[in-house]
Amino acid sequence: MIELAAARVILIGGVSGSGKSHYASRLAAQLPGHALVRLDWTYNALVATGARHPRRKMAKLAPALVAEIIAGGEPAIIDGGWIEPRAWARLVAGRSDCRARFLGYPAIDPDGLIARLATTGHWLGTPEAATRGFLRRQIAHSAEQQRRIGGSTVADFVDVSGGFDAG
């Protein structure tokens, strides 16, 4: 795993329900000089203000926000699954002060994950067919990112299949 204590900017990304916010909060407590930036708050503001197509807007806005944070020079932990590892790699190309962690669950069945998320009150903790289908796609995406991130110099993959505190 990549050492995070020396990183100025740390992105915590991952699939839905992987524990990104929990992990980012824990990390922020360990690195008190780092501001905690939650990209979901920006998304929630877009939704609250009635913005048209908030997901599309956020997909375009998130990389610009992160680039601005990186350029700003202040230490930060960025919590958000809005930026995929490939985009993160482009944002930090040639920088040694930025790191990323991608949280995923490539080795869990949807029902087991639903049961675990239900204990946290997460919106994905409901045993509906649509939720199962969504989680199957998230599990497949986790496996793909685990394969892609292997050997990366700017990011690492944290497998939370066994529990949210795996990272």
PDB file of all heavy atoms in Angstrom, residues 14-55:
ATOM      1  N   GLY A  14     -14.087   5.209  -4.654  1.00  0.00           N
ATOM      2  CA  GLY A  14     -14.563   3.843  -4.571  1.00  0.00           C
ATOM      3  C   GLY A  14     -16.002   3.719  -4.995  1.00  0.00           C
ATOM      4  O   GLY A  14     -16.652   4.696  -5.373  1.00  0.00           O
ATOM      5  N   VAL A  15     -16.486   2.506  -4.899  1.00  0.00           N
ATOM      6  CA  VAL A  15     -17.853   2.206  -5.304  1.00  0.00           C
ATOM      7  C   VAL A  15     -18.830   2.585  -4.196  1.00  0.00           C
ATOM      8  O   VAL A  15     -18.445   2.777  -3.040  1.00  0.00           O
ATOM      9  CB  VAL A  15     -18.006   0.717  -5.700  1.00  0.00           C
ATOM     10  CG1 VAL A  15     -17.214   0.400  -6.952  1.00  0.00           C
ATOM     11  CG2 VAL A  15     -17.585  -0.200  -4.563  1.00  0.00           C
ATOM     12  N   SER A  16     -20.097   2.677  -4.564  1.00  0.00           N
ATOM     13  CA  SER A  16     -21.149   3.016  -3.598  1.00  0.00           C
ATOM     14  C   SER A  16     -21.185   2.010  -2.464  1.00  0.00           C
ATOM     15  O   SER A  16     -21.141   0.800  -2.693  1.00  0.00           O
ATOM     16  CB  SER A  16     -22.513   3.032  -4.291  1.00  0.00           C
ATOM     17  OG  SER A  16     -22.565   4.040  -5.253  1.00  0.00           O
ATOM     18  N   GLY A  17     -21.272   2.507  -1.257  1.00  0.00           N
ATOM     19  CA  GLY A  17     -21.392   1.635  -0.096  1.00  0.00           C
ATOM     20  C   GLY A  17     -20.108   0.979   0.345  1.00  0.00           C
ATOM     21  O   GLY A  17     -20.128   0.038   1.135  1.00  0.00           O
ATOM     22  N   SER A  18     -18.963   1.469  -0.130  1.00  0.00           N
ATOM     23  CA  SER A  18     -17.686   0.850   0.245  1.00  0.00           C
ATOM     24  C   SER A  18     -17.091   1.439   1.520  1.00  0.00           C
ATOM     25  O   SER A  18     -16.086   0.945   2.009  1.00  0.00           O
ATOM     26  CB  SER A  18     -16.674   0.972  -0.902  1.00  0.00           C
ATOM     27  OG  SER A  18     -16.408   2.335  -1.181  1.00  0.00           O
ATOM     28  N   GLY A  19     -17.683   2.487   2.049  1.00  0.00           N
ATOM     29  CA  GLY A  19     -17.181   3.078   3.284  1.00  0.00           C
ATOM     30  C   GLY A  19     -16.242   4.254   3.070  1.00  0.00           C
ATOM     31  O   GLY A  19     -15.442   4.576   3.941  1.00  0.00           O
ATOM     32  N   LYS A  20     -16.338   4.912   1.916  1.00  0.00           N
ATOM     33  CA  LYS A  20     -15.445   6.038   1.601  1.00  0.00           C
ATOM     34  C   LYS A  20     -15.510   7.131   2.660  1.00  0.00           C
ATOM     35  O   LYS A  20     -14.468   7.587   3.142  1.00  0.00           O
ATOM     36  CB  LYS A  20     -15.793   6.642   0.238  1.00  0.00           C
ATOM     37  CG  LYS A  20     -15.609   5.720  -0.936  1.00  0.00           C
ATOM     38  CD  LYS A  20     -16.004   6.385  -2.235  1.00  0.00           C
ATOM     39  CE  LYS A  20     -17.458   6.751  -2.336  1.00  0.00           C
ATOM     40  NZ  LYS A  20     -18.392   5.633  -2.445  1.00  0.00           N
ATOM     41  N   SER A  21     -16.704   7.543   3.022  1.00  0.00           N
ATOM     42  CA  SER A  21     -16.848   8.639   3.985  1.00  0.00           C
ATOM     43  C   SER A  21     -16.327   8.241   5.361  1.00  0.00           C
ATOM     44  O   SER A  21     -15.659   9.028   6.026  1.00  0.00           O
ATOM     45  CB  SER A  21     -18.308   9.083   4.073  1.00  0.00           C
ATOM     46  OG  SER A  21     -18.711   9.642   2.846  1.00  0.00           O
ATOM     47  N   HIS A  22     -16.635   7.037   5.780  1.00  0.00           N
ATOM     48  CA  HIS A  22     -16.130   6.526   7.061  1.00  0.00           C
ATOM     49  C   HIS A  22     -14.600   6.508   7.052  1.00  0.00           C
ATOM     50  O   HIS A  22     -13.955   6.978   7.986  1.00  0.00           O
ATOM     51  CB  HIS A  22     -16.701   5.128   7.318  1.00  0.00           C
ATOM     52  CG  HIS A  22     -16.135   4.435   8.503  1.00  0.00           C
ATOM     53  ND1 HIS A  22     -16.477   4.772   9.791  1.00  0.00           N
ATOM     54  CD2 HIS A  22     -15.248   3.421   8.603  1.00  0.00           C
ATOM     55  CE1 HIS A  22     -15.808   3.995  10.632  1.00  0.00           C
ATOM     56  NE2 HIS A  22     -15.066   3.165   9.935  1.00  0.00           N
ATOM     57  N   TYR A  23     -14.046   5.970   5.984  1.00  0.00           N
ATOM     58  CA  TYR A  23     -12.591   5.872   5.869  1.00  0.00           C
ATOM     59  C   TYR A  23     -11.950   7.265   5.830  1.00  0.00           C
ATOM     60  O   TYR A  23     -10.960   7.514   6.507  1.00  0.00           O
ATOM     61  CB  TYR A  23     -12.228   5.075   4.614  1.00  0.00           C
ATOM     62  CG  TYR A  23     -10.753   4.834   4.472  1.00  0.00           C
ATOM     63  CD1 TYR A  23     -10.120   3.845   5.222  1.00  0.00           C
ATOM     64  CD2 TYR A  23      -9.984   5.593   3.605  1.00  0.00           C
ATOM     65  CE1 TYR A  23      -8.760   3.621   5.107  1.00  0.00           C
ATOM     66  CE2 TYR A  23      -8.621   5.379   3.485  1.00  0.00           C
ATOM     67  CZ  TYR A  23      -8.012   4.391   4.234  1.00  0.00           C
ATOM     68  OH  TYR A  23      -6.668   4.182   4.119  1.00  0.00           O
ATOM     69  N   ALA A  24     -12.531   8.186   5.055  1.00  0.00           N
ATOM     70  CA  ALA A  24     -11.985   9.544   4.954  1.00  0.00           C
ATOM     71  C   ALA A  24     -12.023  10.244   6.309  1.00  0.00           C
ATOM     72  O   ALA A  24     -11.073  10.954   6.677  1.00  0.00           O
ATOM     73  CB  ALA A  24     -12.739  10.344   3.899  1.00  0.00           C
ATOM     74  N   SER A  25     -13.096  10.054   7.058  1.00  0.00           N
ATOM     75  CA  SER A  25     -13.199  10.660   8.393  1.00  0.00           C
ATOM     76  C   SER A  25     -12.133  10.112   9.325  1.00  0.00           C
ATOM     77  O   SER A  25     -11.503  10.869  10.080  1.00  0.00           O
ATOM     78  CB  SER A  25     -14.586  10.412   8.994  1.00  0.00           C
ATOM     79  OG  SER A  25     -15.562  11.076   8.239  1.00  0.00           O
ATOM     80  N   ARG A  26     -11.926   8.807   9.292  1.00  0.00           N
ATOM     81  CA  ARG A  26     -10.872   8.187  10.121  1.00  0.00           C
ATOM     82  C   ARG A  26      -9.505   8.728   9.742  1.00  0.00           C
ATOM     83  O   ARG A  26      -8.680   9.036  10.597  1.00  0.00           O
ATOM     84  CB  ARG A  26     -10.882   6.664   9.949  1.00  0.00           C
ATOM     85  CG  ARG A  26     -11.888   5.974  10.808  1.00  0.00           C
ATOM     86  CD  ARG A  26     -11.740   4.458  10.831  1.00  0.00           C
ATOM     87  NE  ARG A  26     -10.478   3.938  10.398  1.00  0.00           N
ATOM     88  CZ  ARG A  26     -10.306   2.846   9.644  1.00  0.00           C
ATOM     89  NH1 ARG A  26     -11.344   2.169   9.240  1.00  0.00           N
ATOM     90  NH2 ARG A  26      -9.119   2.437   9.303  1.00  0.00           N
ATOM     91  N   LEU A  27      -9.262   8.837   8.435  1.00  0.00           N
ATOM     92  CA  LEU A  27      -7.976   9.337   7.962  1.00  0.00           C
ATOM     93  C   LEU A  27      -7.774  10.797   8.370  1.00  0.00           C
ATOM     94  O   LEU A  27      -6.688  11.190   8.796  1.00  0.00           O
ATOM     95  CB  LEU A  27      -7.892   9.182   6.441  1.00  0.00           C
ATOM     96  CG  LEU A  27      -6.540   9.416   5.794  1.00  0.00           C
ATOM     97  CD1 LEU A  27      -5.475   8.496   6.381  1.00  0.00           C
ATOM     98  CD2 LEU A  27      -6.653   9.203   4.293  1.00  0.00           C
ATOM     99  N   ALA A  28      -8.829  11.598   8.275  1.00  0.00           N
ATOM    100  CA  ALA A  28      -8.745  13.012   8.667  1.00  0.00           C
ATOM    101  C   ALA A  28      -8.403  13.143  10.156  1.00  0.00           C
ATOM    102  O   ALA A  28      -7.660  14.048  10.551  1.00  0.00           O
ATOM    103  CB  ALA A  28     -10.044  13.733   8.340  1.00  0.00           C
ATOM    104  N   ALA A  29      -8.920  12.239  10.972  1.00  0.00           N
ATOM    105  CA  ALA A  29      -8.604  12.261  12.403  1.00  0.00           C
ATOM    106  C   ALA A  29      -7.133  11.927  12.645  1.00  0.00           C
ATOM    107  O   ALA A  29      -6.520  12.434  13.589  1.00  0.00           O
ATOM    108  CB  ALA A  29      -9.505  11.291  13.160  1.00  0.00           C
ATOM    109  N   GLN A  30      -6.552  11.107  11.782  1.00  0.00           N
ATOM    110  CA  GLN A  30      -5.143  10.727  11.910  1.00  0.00           C
ATOM    111  C   GLN A  30      -4.206  11.773  11.320  1.00  0.00           C
ATOM    112  O   GLN A  30      -3.031  11.820  11.666  1.00  0.00           O
ATOM    113  CB  GLN A  30      -4.891   9.383  11.225  1.00  0.00           C
ATOM    114  CG  GLN A  30      -5.605   8.227  11.871  1.00  0.00           C
ATOM    115  CD  GLN A  30      -5.537   6.967  11.019  1.00  0.00           C
ATOM    116  OE1 GLN A  30      -4.876   6.904  10.000  1.00  0.00           O
ATOM    117  NE2 GLN A  30      -6.259   5.941  11.450  1.00  0.00           N
ATOM    118  N   LEU A  31      -4.729  12.600  10.412  1.00  0.00           N
ATOM    119  CA  LEU A  31      -3.923  13.636   9.744  1.00  0.00           C
ATOM    120  C   LEU A  31      -4.595  14.993   9.959  1.00  0.00           C
ATOM    121  O   LEU A  31      -5.178  15.568   9.040  1.00  0.00           O
ATOM    122  CB  LEU A  31      -3.803  13.328   8.250  1.00  0.00           C
ATOM    123  CG  LEU A  31      -3.183  11.984   7.872  1.00  0.00           C
ATOM    124  CD1 LEU A  31      -3.319  11.724   6.376  1.00  0.00           C
ATOM    125  CD2 LEU A  31      -1.729  11.931   8.297  1.00  0.00           C
ATOM    126  N   PRO A  32      -4.516  15.542  11.187  1.00  0.00           N
ATOM    127  CA  PRO A  32      -5.287  16.740  11.511  1.00  0.00           C
ATOM    128  C   PRO A  32      -4.944  17.988  10.701  1.00  0.00           C
ATOM    129  O   PRO A  32      -5.727  18.921  10.661  1.00  0.00           O
ATOM    130  CB  PRO A  32      -5.000  16.962  13.001  1.00  0.00           C
ATOM    131  CG  PRO A  32      -3.782  16.167  13.300  1.00  0.00           C
ATOM    132  CD  PRO A  32      -3.725  15.051  12.305  1.00  0.00           C
ATOM    133  N   GLY A  33      -3.836  18.036  10.009  1.00  0.00           N
ATOM    134  CA  GLY A  33      -3.501  19.192   9.183  1.00  0.00           C
ATOM    135  C   GLY A  33      -4.192  19.189   7.828  1.00  0.00           C
ATOM    136  O   GLY A  33      -4.112  20.168   7.087  1.00  0.00           O
ATOM    137  N   HIS A  34      -4.880  18.105   7.507  1.00  0.00           N
ATOM    138  CA  HIS A  34      -5.553  17.963   6.222  1.00  0.00           C
ATOM    139  C   HIS A  34      -7.022  18.356   6.337  1.00  0.00           C
ATOM    140  O   HIS A  34      -7.732  17.861   7.211  1.00  0.00           O
ATOM    141  CB  HIS A  34      -5.463  16.512   5.723  1.00  0.00           C
ATOM    142  CG  HIS A  34      -4.126  16.119   5.223  1.00  0.00           C
ATOM    143  ND1 HIS A  34      -3.029  16.000   6.040  1.00  0.00           N
ATOM    144  CD2 HIS A  34      -3.710  15.814   3.975  1.00  0.00           C
ATOM    145  CE1 HIS A  34      -1.991  15.635   5.317  1.00  0.00           C
ATOM    146  NE2 HIS A  34      -2.377  15.514   4.059  1.00  0.00           N
ATOM    147  N   ALA A  35      -7.484  19.228   5.448  1.00  0.00           N
ATOM    148  CA  ALA A  35      -8.909  19.557   5.382  1.00  0.00           C
ATOM    149  C   ALA A  35      -9.654  18.376   4.774  1.00  0.00           C
ATOM    150  O   ALA A  35      -9.129  17.696   3.892  1.00  0.00           O
ATOM    151  CB  ALA A  35      -9.114  20.797   4.514  1.00  0.00           C
ATOM    152  N   LEU A  36     -10.858  18.121   5.247  1.00  0.00           N
ATOM    153  CA  LEU A  36     -11.683  17.054   4.697  1.00  0.00           C
ATOM    154  C   LEU A  36     -12.697  17.671   3.745  1.00  0.00           C
ATOM    155  O   LEU A  36     -13.514  18.500   4.138  1.00  0.00           O
ATOM    156  CB  LEU A  36     -12.396  16.291   5.818  1.00  0.00           C
ATOM    157  CG  LEU A  36     -13.303  15.140   5.401  1.00  0.00           C
ATOM    158  CD1 LEU A  36     -12.570  14.109   4.544  1.00  0.00           C
ATOM    159  CD2 LEU A  36     -13.923  14.484   6.629  1.00  0.00           C
ATOM    160  N   VAL A  37     -12.611  17.287   2.485  1.00  0.00           N
ATOM    161  CA  VAL A  37     -13.489  17.805   1.440  1.00  0.00           C
ATOM    162  C   VAL A  37     -14.373  16.654   0.971  1.00  0.00           C
ATOM    163  O   VAL A  37     -13.871  15.624   0.528  1.00  0.00           O
ATOM    164  CB  VAL A  37     -12.669  18.358   0.240  1.00  0.00           C
ATOM    165  CG1 VAL A  37     -13.589  18.840  -0.868  1.00  0.00           C
ATOM    166  CG2 VAL A  37     -11.704  19.433   0.701  1.00  0.00           C
ATOM    167  N   ARG A  38     -15.671  16.842   1.062  1.00  0.00           N
ATOM    168  CA  ARG A  38     -16.614  15.800   0.638  1.00  0.00           C
ATOM    169  C   ARG A  38     -17.280  16.220  -0.671  1.00  0.00           C
ATOM    170  O   ARG A  38     -18.087  17.142  -0.691  1.00  0.00           O
ATOM    171  CB  ARG A  38     -17.644  15.554   1.724  1.00  0.00           C
ATOM    172  CG  ARG A  38     -17.022  15.040   3.019  1.00  0.00           C
ATOM    173  CD  ARG A  38     -18.083  14.447   3.910  1.00  0.00           C
ATOM    174  NE  ARG A  38     -17.594  14.125   5.224  1.00  0.00           N
ATOM    175  CZ  ARG A  38     -16.992  12.975   5.558  1.00  0.00           C
ATOM    176  NH1 ARG A  38     -16.803  12.050   4.652  1.00  0.00           N
ATOM    177  NH2 ARG A  38     -16.599  12.759   6.791  1.00  0.00           N
ATOM    178  N   LEU A  39     -16.932  15.534  -1.760  1.00  0.00           N
ATOM    179  CA  LEU A  39     -17.496  15.875  -3.064  1.00  0.00           C
ATOM    180  C   LEU A  39     -19.011  15.675  -3.111  1.00  0.00           C
ATOM    181  O   LEU A  39     -19.706  16.366  -3.860  1.00  0.00           O
ATOM    182  CB  LEU A  39     -16.818  15.066  -4.174  1.00  0.00           C
ATOM    183  CG  LEU A  39     -15.340  15.368  -4.405  1.00  0.00           C
ATOM    184  CD1 LEU A  39     -14.777  14.466  -5.506  1.00  0.00           C
ATOM    185  CD2 LEU A  39     -15.113  16.826  -4.739  1.00  0.00           C
ATOM    186  N   ASP A  40     -19.534  14.760  -2.299  1.00  0.00           N
ATOM    187  CA  ASP A  40     -20.979  14.553  -2.276  1.00  0.00           C
ATOM    188  C   ASP A  40     -21.723  15.803  -1.809  1.00  0.00           C
ATOM    189  O   ASP A  40     -22.884  16.012  -2.179  1.00  0.00           O
ATOM    190  CB  ASP A  40     -21.358  13.364  -1.383  1.00  0.00           C
ATOM    191  CG  ASP A  40     -21.206  12.031  -2.104  1.00  0.00           C
ATOM    192  OD1 ASP A  40     -21.030  12.035  -3.337  1.00  0.00           O
ATOM    193  OD2 ASP A  40     -21.271  10.988  -1.425  1.00  0.00           O
ATOM    194  N   TRP A  41     -21.089  16.642  -1.012  1.00  0.00           N
ATOM    195  CA  TRP A  41     -21.751  17.872  -0.579  1.00  0.00           C
ATOM    196  C   TRP A  41     -22.002  18.785  -1.780  1.00  0.00           C
ATOM    197  O   TRP A  41     -23.030  19.461  -1.855  1.00  0.00           O
ATOM    198  CB  TRP A  41     -20.931  18.588   0.478  1.00  0.00           C
ATOM    199  CG  TRP A  41     -20.912  17.882   1.811  1.00  0.00           C
ATOM    200  CD1 TRP A  41     -21.640  16.777   2.166  1.00  0.00           C
ATOM    201  CD2 TRP A  41     -20.132  18.225   2.937  1.00  0.00           C
ATOM    202  NE1 TRP A  41     -21.343  16.411   3.462  1.00  0.00           N
ATOM    203  CE2 TRP A  41     -20.414  17.287   3.957  1.00  0.00           C
ATOM    204  CE3 TRP A  41     -19.205  19.214   3.197  1.00  0.00           C
ATOM    205  CZ2 TRP A  41     -19.823  17.334   5.211  1.00  0.00           C
ATOM    206  CZ3 TRP A  41     -18.608  19.260   4.452  1.00  0.00           C
ATOM    207  CH2 TRP A  41     -18.918  18.331   5.435  1.00  0.00           C
ATOM    208  N   THR A  42     -21.066  18.810  -2.708  1.00  0.00           N
ATOM    209  CA  THR A  42     -21.257  19.613  -3.917  1.00  0.00           C
ATOM    210  C   THR A  42     -22.405  19.030  -4.739  1.00  0.00           C
ATOM    211  O   THR A  42     -23.269  19.761  -5.236  1.00  0.00           O
ATOM    212  CB  THR A  42     -19.965  19.670  -4.749  1.00  0.00           C
ATOM    213  OG1 THR A  42     -18.928  20.216  -3.933  1.00  0.00           O
ATOM    214  CG2 THR A  42     -20.135  20.509  -5.992  1.00  0.00           C
ATOM    215  N   TYR A  43     -22.421  17.721  -4.884  1.00  0.00           N
ATOM    216  CA  TYR A  43     -23.510  17.068  -5.603  1.00  0.00           C
ATOM    217  C   TYR A  43     -24.851  17.370  -4.927  1.00  0.00           C
ATOM    218  O   TYR A  43     -25.833  17.724  -5.589  1.00  0.00           O
ATOM    219  CB  TYR A  43     -23.279  15.558  -5.688  1.00  0.00           C
ATOM    220  CG  TYR A  43     -24.465  14.828  -6.263  1.00  0.00           C
ATOM    221  CD1 TYR A  43     -24.752  14.906  -7.630  1.00  0.00           C
ATOM    222  CD2 TYR A  43     -25.307  14.088  -5.451  1.00  0.00           C
ATOM    223  CE1 TYR A  43     -25.852  14.248  -8.161  1.00  0.00           C
ATOM    224  CE2 TYR A  43     -26.409  13.432  -5.977  1.00  0.00           C
ATOM    225  CZ  TYR A  43     -26.674  13.517  -7.332  1.00  0.00           C
ATOM    226  OH  TYR A  43     -27.763  12.882  -7.855  1.00  0.00           O
ATOM    227  N   ASN A  44     -24.906  17.251  -3.608  1.00  0.00           N
ATOM    228  CA  ASN A  44     -26.140  17.521  -2.874  1.00  0.00           C
ATOM    229  C   ASN A  44     -26.599  18.963  -3.076  1.00  0.00           C
ATOM    230  O   ASN A  44     -27.800  19.233  -3.162  1.00  0.00           O
ATOM    231  CB  ASN A  44     -25.960  17.220  -1.387  1.00  0.00           C
ATOM    232  CG  ASN A  44     -25.764  15.746  -1.109  1.00  0.00           C
ATOM    233  OD1 ASN A  44     -26.075  14.894  -1.941  1.00  0.00           O
ATOM    234  ND2 ASN A  44     -25.214  15.430   0.050  1.00  0.00           N
ATOM    235  N   ALA A  45     -25.649  19.899  -3.163  1.00  0.00           N
ATOM    236  CA  ALA A  45     -26.000  21.299  -3.415  1.00  0.00           C
ATOM    237  C   ALA A  45     -26.601  21.460  -4.809  1.00  0.00           C
ATOM    238  O   ALA A  45     -27.562  22.211  -4.991  1.00  0.00           O
ATOM    239  CB  ALA A  45     -24.770  22.190  -3.248  1.00  0.00           C
ATOM    240  N   LEU A  46     -26.048  20.750  -5.792  1.00  0.00           N
ATOM    241  CA  LEU A  46     -26.614  20.800  -7.142  1.00  0.00           C
ATOM    242  C   LEU A  46     -28.053  20.303  -7.137  1.00  0.00           C
ATOM    243  O   LEU A  46     -28.943  20.907  -7.742  1.00  0.00           O
ATOM    244  CB  LEU A  46     -25.776  19.971  -8.112  1.00  0.00           C
ATOM    245  CG  LEU A  46     -24.406  20.516  -8.480  1.00  0.00           C
ATOM    246  CD1 LEU A  46     -23.618  19.476  -9.269  1.00  0.00           C
ATOM    247  CD2 LEU A  46     -24.534  21.807  -9.274  1.00  0.00           C
ATOM    248  N   VAL A  47     -28.291  19.203  -6.444  1.00  0.00           N
ATOM    249  CA  VAL A  47     -29.642  18.640  -6.364  1.00  0.00           C
ATOM    250  C   VAL A  47     -30.570  19.604  -5.631  1.00  0.00           C
ATOM    251  O   VAL A  47     -31.682  19.889  -6.084  1.00  0.00           O
ATOM    252  CB  VAL A  47     -29.614  17.256  -5.665  1.00  0.00           C
ATOM    253  CG1 VAL A  47     -31.028  16.758  -5.370  1.00  0.00           C
ATOM    254  CG2 VAL A  47     -28.865  16.246  -6.518  1.00  0.00           C
ATOM    255  N   ALA A  48     -30.111  20.137  -4.501  1.00  0.00           N
ATOM    256  CA  ALA A  48     -30.947  21.026  -3.689  1.00  0.00           C
ATOM    257  C   ALA A  48     -31.325  22.308  -4.423  1.00  0.00           C
ATOM    258  O   ALA A  48     -32.400  22.864  -4.175  1.00  0.00           O
ATOM    259  CB  ALA A  48     -30.231  21.367  -2.384  1.00  0.00           C
ATOM    260  N   THR A  49     -30.473  22.768  -5.311  1.00  0.00           N
ATOM    261  CA  THR A  49     -30.773  24.004  -6.033  1.00  0.00           C
ATOM    262  C   THR A  49     -31.565  23.752  -7.312  1.00  0.00           C
ATOM    263  O   THR A  49     -31.847  24.689  -8.054  1.00  0.00           O
ATOM    264  CB  THR A  49     -29.485  24.775  -6.376  1.00  0.00           C
ATOM    265  OG1 THR A  49     -28.646  23.938  -7.181  1.00  0.00           O
ATOM    266  CG2 THR A  49     -28.761  25.206  -5.121  1.00  0.00           C
ATOM    267  N   GLY A  50     -31.891  22.480  -7.554  1.00  0.00           N
ATOM    268  CA  GLY A  50     -32.700  22.157  -8.722  1.00  0.00           C
ATOM    269  C   GLY A  50     -31.936  22.142 -10.034  1.00  0.00           C
ATOM    270  O   GLY A  50     -32.532  22.272 -11.102  1.00  0.00           O
ATOM    271  N   ALA A  51     -30.629  21.975  -9.977  1.00  0.00           N
ATOM    272  CA  ALA A  51     -29.825  21.929 -11.203  1.00  0.00           C
ATOM    273  C   ALA A  51     -30.311  20.801 -12.104  1.00  0.00           C
ATOM    274  O   ALA A  51     -30.642  19.709 -11.639  1.00  0.00           O
ATOM    275  CB  ALA A  51     -28.349  21.734 -10.860  1.00  0.00           C
ATOM    276  N   ARG A  52     -30.354  21.081 -13.392  1.00  0.00           N
ATOM    277  CA  ARG A  52     -30.724  20.044 -14.353  1.00  0.00           C
ATOM    278  C   ARG A  52     -29.550  19.086 -14.527  1.00  0.00           C
ATOM    279  O   ARG A  52     -28.404  19.523 -14.596  1.00  0.00           O
ATOM    280  CB  ARG A  52     -31.062  20.676 -15.693  1.00  0.00           C
ATOM    281  CG  ARG A  52     -32.389  21.433 -15.672  1.00  0.00           C
ATOM    282  CD  ARG A  52     -32.640  22.153 -16.982  1.00  0.00           C
ATOM    283  NE  ARG A  52     -32.326  21.349 -18.161  1.00  0.00           N
ATOM    284  CZ  ARG A  52     -33.238  20.746 -18.926  1.00  0.00           C
ATOM    285  NH1 ARG A  52     -34.501  20.864 -18.646  1.00  0.00           N
ATOM    286  NH2 ARG A  52     -32.868  20.058 -19.981  1.00  0.00           N
ATOM    287  N   HIS A  53     -29.837  17.806 -14.580  1.00  0.00           N
ATOM    288  CA  HIS A  53     -28.826  16.763 -14.793  1.00  0.00           C
ATOM    289  C   HIS A  53     -27.667  16.884 -13.799  1.00  0.00           C
ATOM    290  O   HIS A  53     -26.515  17.006 -14.193  1.00  0.00           O
ATOM    291  CB  HIS A  53     -28.306  16.801 -16.226  1.00  0.00           C
ATOM    292  CG  HIS A  53     -29.377  16.829 -17.258  1.00  0.00           C
ATOM    293  ND1 HIS A  53     -30.207  15.749 -17.485  1.00  0.00           N
ATOM    294  CD2 HIS A  53     -29.779  17.810 -18.091  1.00  0.00           C
ATOM    295  CE1 HIS A  53     -31.068  16.061 -18.439  1.00  0.00           C
ATOM    296  NE2 HIS A  53     -30.847  17.306 -18.814  1.00  0.00           N
ATOM    297  N   PRO A  54     -27.949  16.814 -12.501  1.00  0.00           N
ATOM    298  CA  PRO A  54     -26.883  17.013 -11.509  1.00  0.00           C
ATOM    299  C   PRO A  54     -25.756  15.984 -11.595  1.00  0.00           C
ATOM    300  O   PRO A  54     -24.596  16.322 -11.366  1.00  0.00           O
ATOM    301  CB  PRO A  54     -27.608  16.939 -10.171  1.00  0.00           C
ATOM    302  CG  PRO A  54     -28.883  16.216 -10.457  1.00  0.00           C
ATOM    303  CD  PRO A  54     -29.237  16.557 -11.874  1.00  0.00           C
ATOM    304  N   ARG A  55     -26.068  14.731 -11.971  1.00  0.00           N
ATOM    305  CA  ARG A  55     -24.999  13.728 -12.084  1.00  0.00           C
ATOM    306  C   ARG A  55     -24.023  14.093 -13.200  1.00  0.00           C
ATOM    307  O   ARG A  55     -22.809  13.980 -13.027  1.00  0.00           O
ATOM    308  CB  ARG A  55     -25.582  12.336 -12.322  1.00  0.00           C
ATOM    309  CG  ARG A  55     -26.232  11.758 -11.101  1.00  0.00           C
ATOM    310  CD  ARG A  55     -26.574  10.285 -11.319  1.00  0.00           C
ATOM    311  NE  ARG A  55     -27.190   9.736 -10.157  1.00  0.00           N
ATOM    312  CZ  ARG A  55     -26.551   9.338  -9.060  1.00  0.00           C
ATOM    313  NH1 ARG A  55     -25.260   9.436  -8.990  1.00  0.00           N
ATOM    314  NH2 ARG A  55     -27.216   8.843  -8.035  1.00  0.00           N
TER     315      ARG A  55
END
